[in-house]
């Protein structure tokens, strides 16, 4: 029944409108010549309103990298519509539940983690929550360690283009990089455990 939250974006209350507002803020940054980028890691992008909002952001100069494990109805790379949007799917040995929403915010990143996919049922008919990460070191770790590792995956990744998904092949002179295996190794390394 609660409708007002400080650090949480909650569905079915205001998660959808908050997501649109975060994209609008990126659009304003792009218009002012400040850094404007979105990175989304989730399992599905099927909500038409969210797709249209991402198209609008792309048209306004916002760069977007979407790591969508499953269904994605957005068409990236369409000139004049979504040419600043890239979509990839990474399917490894683990069925992941983690969602990360990164907004560059003109150089002062805002990052949210939680349960919500960008689907009508998640935004309008289920209780879902995203919470903002406040600590700068955790924001950096989520962006530089986790999201960038998924964007560099050349072992389990597929890239969505006009004709569907294409498997990413590592260049001949590069070692294949699996995001899940790389992150598993890093988080089970004794040095990392001590840092945490």
């Amino acid at each position: 029944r609660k409708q007002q939250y400080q650090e949480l974006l909650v569905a079915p209350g205001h998660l959808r409108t908050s997501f649109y507002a975060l994209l609008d803020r990126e659009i304003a940054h792009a218009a002012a010549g400040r850094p404007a980028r979105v990175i989304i890691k989730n399992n599905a992008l099927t909500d038409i309103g969210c797709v249209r909002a991402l198209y609008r952001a792309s048209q306004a100069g916002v760069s977007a990298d979407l790591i969508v494990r499953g269904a994605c109805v957005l068409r990236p790379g369409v000139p004049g519509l979504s040419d600043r949007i890239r979509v990839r799917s990474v399917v490894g040995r683990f069925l992941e539940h983690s969602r990360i929403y990164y907004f560059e915010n003109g150089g002062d990143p805002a990052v949210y983690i939680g349960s919500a996919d960008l689907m009508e049922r998640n935004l309008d008919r289920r209780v879902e929550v995203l919470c903002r990460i406040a600590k700068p070191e955790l924001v950096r770790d989520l962006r530089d360690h986790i999201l960038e590792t998924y964007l560099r995956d050349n072992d389990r990744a597929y890239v969505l283009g006009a004709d569907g998904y294409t498997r990413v092949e590592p260049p001949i002179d590069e070692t294949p990089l699996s995001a899940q295996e790389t992150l598993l190794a890093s988080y089970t390394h004794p040095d990392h455990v001590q840092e945490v």
Side-chain angles (χ1 to χ4, degrees), residues 2 17 23 32 39 47 66 83 88 111 113 127 142 145 164 167 181:
K2 185 175 175 62
T17 56
L23 287 178
I39 309 172
D47 181 79
L66 311 179
D83 43 3
R88 61 175 30 222
V111 178
I113 61 171
V127 175
L142 287 167
H145 188 60
R167 179 92 184 246
E181 297 302 324

Side-chain angles (χ1 to χ4, degrees), residues 48-113:
I48 299 305
C50 291
V51 168
R52 289 179 178 151
L54 286 162
Y55 284 159
R56 190 174 74 253
S58 175
Q59 291 172 312
V62 178
S63 172
D65 286 291
L66 311 179
I67 307 160
V68 184
R69 186 182 191 279
C72 179
V73 300
L74 182 147
R75 289 191 60 201
V78 177
L81 179 68
S82 59
D83 43 3
R84 289 182 176 87
I85 303 176
R86 294 157 299 280
V87 178
R88 61 175 30 222
S89 173
V90 178
V91 180
R93 69 187 252 214
F94 301 111
L95 175 59
E96 298 182 43
H97 190 71
S98 61
R99 278 80 166 170
I100 305 172
Y101 293 82
Y102 173 89
F103 302 89
E104 185 66 34
N105 192 27
D108 183 21
V111 178
Y112 295 82
I113 61 171

